[in-house]
């Protein structure tokens, strides 16, 4: 496809439908792009590489606005680099999403009256693969709707053969380097999904609970502890106090009676306890709380597990067999009957973790799991950013990154699931433990068994930047496209996915970073800035908007809100406005084609051009430079806004309108403007293409006769500038704008023609008289002309004959009333600002507001007085 970028345009086709219909264009165009291989990257190319790997969506997922937002930005980056002559690879794929996918299939089985245990592990996993083939990957088709320019030939899946080999390889290496180990620790446990889950899979919300204060011990040896989880007291193995707390020094080292049990527990001194919080004494349950586990480790305390995997109580007769919440009520009732409840607070609102998949309350639980020792890996990930090998954008997000990698705890990587990469460790009959690599045979014989757990989904997705390129094999793709250039993702997963990719990339690739830049985005919110949630009823399906307004409109709206690192509000009105922009581009290009706009031949010399032509080319080149600078700084909102205002305001509203008189006059001036307009549209459509790919390709191919703007050359800044022409057209614009404002103030209809005399002496506007008259609907003076209103504007004078067009007396009366109101407003503001007592007491924002009212009143008075002076004399 490299030759296509140098294609010579043929004579353009000038036929365009009268209206733009996205549905008639988008699907056909996308399939044409894919069939022609525009998105396929060539590892053997001598072009410089540019690589982005897509954050792999879950195989269970569908396109939501967050996906559409990030995909739009990644697509824009990749399309621009492709046009700039890079061998651009945007690599797609999906994550196997362990818990989410297993839940989907288990729900199917439940409808059949079965569980996974009825099938057994092998048959269940086969069933999941069947589900994946039938239902998984809906999002891939939806990505096509959005226009994602990904290399579909390189699509990867975190459970495919190549990525599975990468997972086994890095597990074995980490294990042999003693960076993976097995240990009993406190983990987040979901009693519904029956597995450990990662921190990112825990959602915290404010729940109504209860805080009860319980008296432990007897007589002088009494302590009061407060808890929201009374059921865990059955597993208490100590009470902790601060070593400097004088209230309890006499109890440290003694044993006190644990209520409802026949056990005594020690009082220990630990600096973790805050003596200022509550009673300054805390119950210690090492098997059911991470902080308590740490205290237990320091003091050699026993860890007693009091709940099974379904959060059912397993100890102490009266409560055994009760669900944890049933046990909580029963235990509080029993303590109350013994007089041991000294205080109760209901409701007690506090933050509680829930499983993000099933919304079940998470239970901290002591469990034997596999862990990654993250210390040296996290240090390397921090150093790579500190020494500049990886840039975080925006830079102020670096602090959040360092806060995480500098304080990272060891990572629990095992999950009690059947769907996922099974841990490659075998246990022998005599306690042997063998880790098996991808090309090794597992041990066989009686008594050998493989670990039943699978790896955390984030373990395989952490390898994504290099495993998708063929690692551990030294492939052409890996040599050409690694390290990747940009990771563009939401700031909400900087701690989880981004940090893991950094750790694994640096480890596996001998210190070579996985990406050069981390570009962090915000989250998409509704038009009021509120988080989108099903419970709020404000979730939007982007496909609905695409059906209604077209994919370009959705993309442009999202890009125009994309300020680095900040959240993006979006509403349907904004998408509708973007659809109007697409229509404007269509209609303006159609007008240009009908008036002979062309890209054929070289541009005329500046001497052949009018000031209007030179102005628009000067503005065009400044816009090219501005857009390039914004792209390099990931300022998508600013570059989209710059393109919007240049295209709509300067090209369509001004240049096209100013050129109408030139086209009507014909001759050499018209031919020059036809070529200039063709050039401006050619470049503008290229600049817009990465963000709004469909409408721009349909228009560009029609305008130029070229094969596709996808493979066209990105426009460069030619360096042409004409500040004098820009000042001349700015003067022209000010004349037209001021007279239009005056006409509107006088109540004249936009199309109403008015006799006028123009005095352009001493200005550079003489060549523009015809355009001024046409745009302002100004007739020649004619016989009997009477200048009833005279407007001095920018050195020119526009005299209008308004006799017979307005009711002068009524207009004077209306304006006099407005003037009186403005003068009253000014007097009131001046009075307050002149009152020293008021200024001394009023807040700064109130004073600023009054100053603003005064300034506006002054402006209104000046404007109304000018209108009165411009009216015909009675």
């Amino acid at each position: 496809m490299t030759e296509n970028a140098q294609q010579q345009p043929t004579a353009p086709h000038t036929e365009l439908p009268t209206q733009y219909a996205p549905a008639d264009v988008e699907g056909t165009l996308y399939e044409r792009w894919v069939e022609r291989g525009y998105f396929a990257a060539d590892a053997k190319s001598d072009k410089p590489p540019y690589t982005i790997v897509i954050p792999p969506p879950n195989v269970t997922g569908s396109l939501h606005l967050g996906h559409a937002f990030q995909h739009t930005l990644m697509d824009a980056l990749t399309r621009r680099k492709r046009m700039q002559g890079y061998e651009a690879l945007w690599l797609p794929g999906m994550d196997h999403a362990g818990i989410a996918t297993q839940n989907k299939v288990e729900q199917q089985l439940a409808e059949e009256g079965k569980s996974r245990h009825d099938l057994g592990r092998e048959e269940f996993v086969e069933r999941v693969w069947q589900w994946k083939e039938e239902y998984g990957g809906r999002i891939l088709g939806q990505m096509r709707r959005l226009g994602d320019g990904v290399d579909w030939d390189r699509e990867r899946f975190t459970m495919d053969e190549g990525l599975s080999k990468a997972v086994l390889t890095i597990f074995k290496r980490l294990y042999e380097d003693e960076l993976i180990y097995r240990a009993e620790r406190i983990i987040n446990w979901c009693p519904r999904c029956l597995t450990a889950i990662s921190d990112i899979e825990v959602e915290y919300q404010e729940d109504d609970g209860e805080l009860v204060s319980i008296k432990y011990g007897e007589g002088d040896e009494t302590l009061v502890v407060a808890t929201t989880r009374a059921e865990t007291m059955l597993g208490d193995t100590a009470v902790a106090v601060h070593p400097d707390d004088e209230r309890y020094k006499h109890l440290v080292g003694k044993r006190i009676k644990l209520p409802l049990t026949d056990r005594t527990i020690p009082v220990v001194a630990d600096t973790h306890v805050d003596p200022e919080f509550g009673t300054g004494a805390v119950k210690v349950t090492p098997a059911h709380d991470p902080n308590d586990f740490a205290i237990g480790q320091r003091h050699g305390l026993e860890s007693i597990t009091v709940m099974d995997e379904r959060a059912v109580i397993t100890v102490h007769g009266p409560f055994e067999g009760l669900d944890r919440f049933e046990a909580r009520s029963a235990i509080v009732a029993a303590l109350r009957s013994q007089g041991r409840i000294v205080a109760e607070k209901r409701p007690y609102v506090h933050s509680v973790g829930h499983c993000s998949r099933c919304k079940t309350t998470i239970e901290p639980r002591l469990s034997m799991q596999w862990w990654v020792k993250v210390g040296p890996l996290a240090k390397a990930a921090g150093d790579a950013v500190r020494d500049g090998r990886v840039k975080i954008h925006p830079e102020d997000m670096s602090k959040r990154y360092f806060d995480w990698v500098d304080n990272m705890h060891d990572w629990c990587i095992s999950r009690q699931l059947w769907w996922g990469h099974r841990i490659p460790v075998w246990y022998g009959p005599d306690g042997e433990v063998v880790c098996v690599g991808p090309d090794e045979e597992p041990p066989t014989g009686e008594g050998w068994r493989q670990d039943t757990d699978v790896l955390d989904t984030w373990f395989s997705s952490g390898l994504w930047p290099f495993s998708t390129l063929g690692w551990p094999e030294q492939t052409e793709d890996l040599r050409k496209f690694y390290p990747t250039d940009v990771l563009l993702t939401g700031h909400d997963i900087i701690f989880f996915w981004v940090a893991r990719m950094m750790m694994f990339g640096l480890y596996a690739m001998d210190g070579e970073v996985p990406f050069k830049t981390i570009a962090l985005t915000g989250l998409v919110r509704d038009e009021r800035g509120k988080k989108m949630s099903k419970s709020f009823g404000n979730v939007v399906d982007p496909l609905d908007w695409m059906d209604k307004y077209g994919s370009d409109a959705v993309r442009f709206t999202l890009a125009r809100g994309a300020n680095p690192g900040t959240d993006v509000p979006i509403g349907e009105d904004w998408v509708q406005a973007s659809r109007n922009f697409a229509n404007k581009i269509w209609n303006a290009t159609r007008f240009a084609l009908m008036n002979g706009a062309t890209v054929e031949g070289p541009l005329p010399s500046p001497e052949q051009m009018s000031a209007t032509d030179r102005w628009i080319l000067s503005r065009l080149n400044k816009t090219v430079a501005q857009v390039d600078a914004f792209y390099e700084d990931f300022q998508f909102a600013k570059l989209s806004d710059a393109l919007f205002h240049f295209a709509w305001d300067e090209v369509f509203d001004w240049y096209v309108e100013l050129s109408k008189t030139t086209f009507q006059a014909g001759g050499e001036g018209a031919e020059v403007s036809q070529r200039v307009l063709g050039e401006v549209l050619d470049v503008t459509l290229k600049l817009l293409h990465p963000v709004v790919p469909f409408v721009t390709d349909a228009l560009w191919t029609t305008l130029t006769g070229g094969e596709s703007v996808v493979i066209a050359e990105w426009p460069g800044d030619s360096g042409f500038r004409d500040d004098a022409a820009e000042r001349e057209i700015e003067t022209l614009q000010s004349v037209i704008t001021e007279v239009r404002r005056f006409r509107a103030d006088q109540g004249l209809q936009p199309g109403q023609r008015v006799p006028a005399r123009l005095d352009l002496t001493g200005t550079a506007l003489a060549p523009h008289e015809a355009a001024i008259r046409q745009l302002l609907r100004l007739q020649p003076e004619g016989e009997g002309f009477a200048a009833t209103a005279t407007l001095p504007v920018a050195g020119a004078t526009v005299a209008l004959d308004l006799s017979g067009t307005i009711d002068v007396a009524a207009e004077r009366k209306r304006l006099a009333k407005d003037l009186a109101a403005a003068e009253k407003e000014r007097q009131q503001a001046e009075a307050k600002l002149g009152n020293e007592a008021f200024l001394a007491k009023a807040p700064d924002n109130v004073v600023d507001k009054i100053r603003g009212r005064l300034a506006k009143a002054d402006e209104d008075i000046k404007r109304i007085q000018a209108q009165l002076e411009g009216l015909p004399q009675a």
Side-chain angles (χ1 to χ4, degrees), residues 570-842:
I570 184 172
E572 187 167 1
D573 289 349
W574 306 341
V575 184
Q576 187 172 350
S578 295
R579 187 271 315 273
N580 295 344
F581 180 49
N583 289 343
K584 186 80 170 180
I585 302 170
W586 184 273
N587 293 334
T589 306
R590 186 168 177 272
F591 165 85
L593 291 169
M594 291 170 62
N595 283 275
T598 180
V599 297
E600 292 185 26
L603 274 174
S605 67
E607 292 74 25
Q608 294 173 286
M609 297 179 195
S610 68
T612 308
D613 294 329
R614 297 195 306 275
W615 161 74
I616 197 63
L617 287 176
S618 184
R619 290 295 308 128
L620 174 67
N621 279 288
K622 286 182 179 178
T623 301
V624 170
Q626 190 179 37
V627 168
D628 277 334
F630 285 144
Y631 262 116
E632 295 306 314
D633 200 33
F634 302 97
Q635 297 281 358
F636 296 99
K638 289 182 179 179
L639 73 88
S640 299
D641 213 45
L643 284 170
F644 174 85
H645 287 296
F646 174 72
W648 192 307
D649 300 345
E650 298 186 87
V651 180
F652 306 149
D653 277 359
W654 282 108
Y655 183 70
V656 167
E657 292 299 316
L658 290 170
S659 298
K660 286 180 178 178
T661 53
T662 307
F663 293 146
Q664 289 167 3
E668 186 178 338
E671 291 178 2
V672 170
S673 291
Q674 287 167 341
R675 180 64 186 90
V676 170
L677 180 54
E679 179 75 10
V680 170
L681 285 175
D682 175 18
V683 173
T684 302
L685 291 171
K686 288 175 181 176
L687 292 174
L688 283 165
H689 171 72
V691 180
V692 283
F694 294 107
V695 68
T696 50
D697 196 39
L699 293 174
W700 188 86
T701 52
T702 305
L703 172 71
T704 67
E707 183 181 334
S708 173
V709 72
V710 177
I711 52 172
E713 186 176 344
W714 181 255
D717 176 6
S718 71
F720 178 81
R721 301 286 191 275
D722 194 326
D723 293 337
E726 290 195 39
R727 287 193 297 271
E728 182 174 326
I729 301 307
E730 285 171 8
T731 302
L732 174 62
Q733 290 172 328
S734 67
V735 170
I736 292 171
T737 301
E738 285 301 314
V739 177
R740 279 178 172 166
R741 184 181 293 122
F742 180 78
R743 285 177 55 110
D745 287 341
Q746 306 311 315
L748 297 178
Q749 294 301 312
Q752 189 172 349
R753 303 194 72 83
V754 177
R757 177 189 299 142
L758 303 183
D759 181 1
L760 308 177
T761 306
T763 72
L765 300 179
H768 304 289
E769 180 168 351
I772 292 172
R773 286 190 176 277
Q774 180 165 314
L775 291 176
L776 291 173
R777 305 294 191 269
L778 302 180
Q779 296 175 194
E781 300 173 37
E783 191 174 343
F785 176 82
T788 57
T790 303
L791 302 175
V793 185
T797 302
V798 181
L800 305 175
D801 183 353
L802 301 179
S803 57
T805 60
I806 60 173
D807 183 337
V808 176
E811 186 64 13
R812 282 190 177 278
K813 185 176 181 181
R814 183 184 72 80
L815 289 171
K817 184 178 178 181
D818 290 346
L819 181 61
E823 288 174 337
K824 183 178 180 182
E825 174 73 3
R826 180 170 66 179
Q827 289 170 0
Q828 291 176 340
E830 285 177 336
K832 284 192 175 182
L833 293 173
N835 185 335
E836 293 297 334
F838 169 77
L839 293 176
K841 295 180 180 179

Side-chain angles (χ1 to χ4, degrees), residues 376-588:
L377 303 175
K379 182 182 184 303
D383 290 345
V385 174
R386 286 190 170 94
D387 64 24
R389 282 175 288 156
V390 177
K391 304 287 186 186
I392 292 181
H393 190 87
E395 192 176 350
D396 58 11
M397 285 284 180
S398 298
K399 183 180 183 302
R400 297 181 65 184
Y401 175 81
F402 292 132
D403 284 347
W404 179 253
V405 298
D406 292 348
N407 300 286
M408 194 182 294
H409 300 296
D410 284 1
W411 170 21
C412 176
I413 55 171
S414 46
R415 299 290 178 268
Q416 290 64 55
L417 304 171
W418 286 355
W419 172 244
H421 295 101
R422 193 165 174 181
I423 288 176
V425 172
W426 271 255
Y427 305 105
D430 298 318
E432 303 96 330
V433 179
V434 177
C435 180
V436 178
D439 300 317
E440 301 171 349
E441 291 295 324
T444 56
E446 186 177 348
W448 283 93
R449 60 183 178 84
Q450 186 178 358
D451 197 296
T452 57
D453 289 351
V454 300
L455 288 164
D456 178 13
T457 296
W458 296 100
F459 190 95
S460 51
S461 61
L463 315 181
W464 191 252
F466 52 93
S467 64
T468 52
L469 296 173
W471 186 90
E473 308 301 327
Q474 292 303 305
T475 63
E476 286 186 331
D477 278 0
L478 195 63
R479 286 191 290 271
K480 177 74 173 181
F481 297 113
Y482 190 91
T484 67
D485 287 86
V486 177
L487 171 72
L488 190 145
T489 190
H491 63 65
D492 55 324
I493 59 173
I494 187 173
F495 313 126
F496 308 105
W497 188 48
V498 178
R500 280 147 174 61
M501 285 190 290
M502 285 284 282
M503 291 192 300
F504 281 167
L506 290 160
Y507 174 80
M509 300 301 292
D510 300 319
E512 195 169 15
V513 298
F515 22 74
K516 300 165 191 171
T517 301
I518 302 169
L520 296 170
T521 70
L523 308 179
V524 179
R525 296 181 176 271
D526 71 13
E527 63 267 34
R528 296 179 181 85
K530 192 173 184 179
K531 180 182 177 182
M532 288 192 174
S533 164
K534 289 180 181 178
S535 61
F536 296 153
N538 61 351
V539 173
V540 173
D541 185 345
L543 296 171
D544 292 342
W545 280 352
M546 288 184 212
D547 290 340
K548 196 170 181 180
Y549 303 111
S551 297
D552 283 334
V554 174
R555 289 171 62 114
F556 192 69
T557 305
L558 290 164
R560 208 170 172 195
N563 290 298
T566 59
D567 290 346
V568 184
I570 184 172
E572 187 167 1
D573 289 349
W574 306 341
V575 184
Q576 187 172 350
S578 295
R579 187 271 315 273
N580 295 344
F581 180 49
N583 289 343
K584 186 80 170 180
I585 302 170
W586 184 273
N587 293 334

Side-chain angles (χ1 to χ4, degrees), residues 3 21 31 36 68 76 111 136 151 199 201 213 222 230 235 314 346 374 397 402 532-533 548 628 661 701 747 750 829:
E3 299 83 10
E31 292 310 314
R36 292 179 177 177
E111 292 171 4
D151 187 343
D199 291 339
E201 292 162 325
S213 297
T222 297
T314 58
R346 294 191 188 88
V374 300
M397 285 284 180
F402 292 132
M532 288 192 174
S533 164
K548 196 170 181 180
D628 277 334
T661 53
T701 52

